Amino acid sequence: MRLVVLDTGTLGLLTNPRAQADALACRQWAQSLLAAGIRVIVPGIADYELRRELIRARKTTGLHRLDAVRAGFEFNPMTQAALDEAAALWAAVRNAGLTTAHSAALDGDAILAAQTILAAGAADVVTIATNNPRHLS
């Protein structure tokens, strides 16, 4: 089984109401995943990061599209287990002398990684669809 987890940037492309080439290509790609029976997950942290910006910018059309995308895919809400795993990941990265965000930051990337680890289960292939792989490396 294959699993694709959507990061905030990819989720933003899927919900973008404009018919820009990259947004259209992203929507076609996501539809092809569903047609192939691939699990596609919207993690709660990605929904949160995009939703807060859409609310701040008063982009109601974007909010409606985000709700529709979330309803069309599998939604993975943030849980205490995910937050516990994220804390362990964050500490391991820091102890290795690496950083993914400012030490006082929430570090959504650690939460995304934790949500992905917990959702992976028996998946053979797990992909995080992101436009910023540097943050997750």
Side-chain angles (χ1 to χ4, degrees):
M1 172 188 49
R2 185 169 167 211
L3 170 68
V4 174
V5 178
L6 304 176
D7 193 7
T8 306
T10 305
L11 188 57
L13 281 173
L14 287 174
T15 61
N16 188 328
R18 296 186 181 153
Q20 298 166 330
D22 55 350
L24 291 173
C26 191
R27 284 192 286 261
Q28 290 172 345
W29 166 78
Q31 289 303 318
S32 73
L33 294 176
L34 290 177
I38 295 170
R39 279 179 70 200
V40 180
I41 292 181
V42 175
I45 189 63
D47 180 273
Y48 164 78
E49 287 180 331
L50 180 57
R51 185 174 299 277
R52 70 182 181 186
E53 180 56 27
L54 292 171
I55 292 169
R56 184 201 64 76
R58 296 183 175 94
K59 294 185 175 185
T60 55
T61 301
L63 285 167
H64 293 302
R65 291 180 66 90
L66 176 57
D67 290 339
V69 167
R70 188 170 85 178
F73 296 117
E74 185 178 334
F75 180 69
N76 185 8
M78 283 192 282
T79 62
Q80 189 59 52
L83 293 174
D84 291 348
E85 181 71 18
L89 290 171
W90 183 91
V93 168
R94 290 291 167 146
N95 287 339
L98 304 170
T99 60
T100 59
H102 186 274
S103 62
L106 178 63
D107 201 352
D109 292 324
I111 298 170
L112 175 69
Q115 284 196 278
T116 301
I117 289 168
L118 295 176
D124 299 321
V125 178
V126 178
T127 303
I128 297 177
T130 183
N131 60 353
N132 195 352
R134 183 178 55 87
H135 282 184
L136 295 171
S137 63

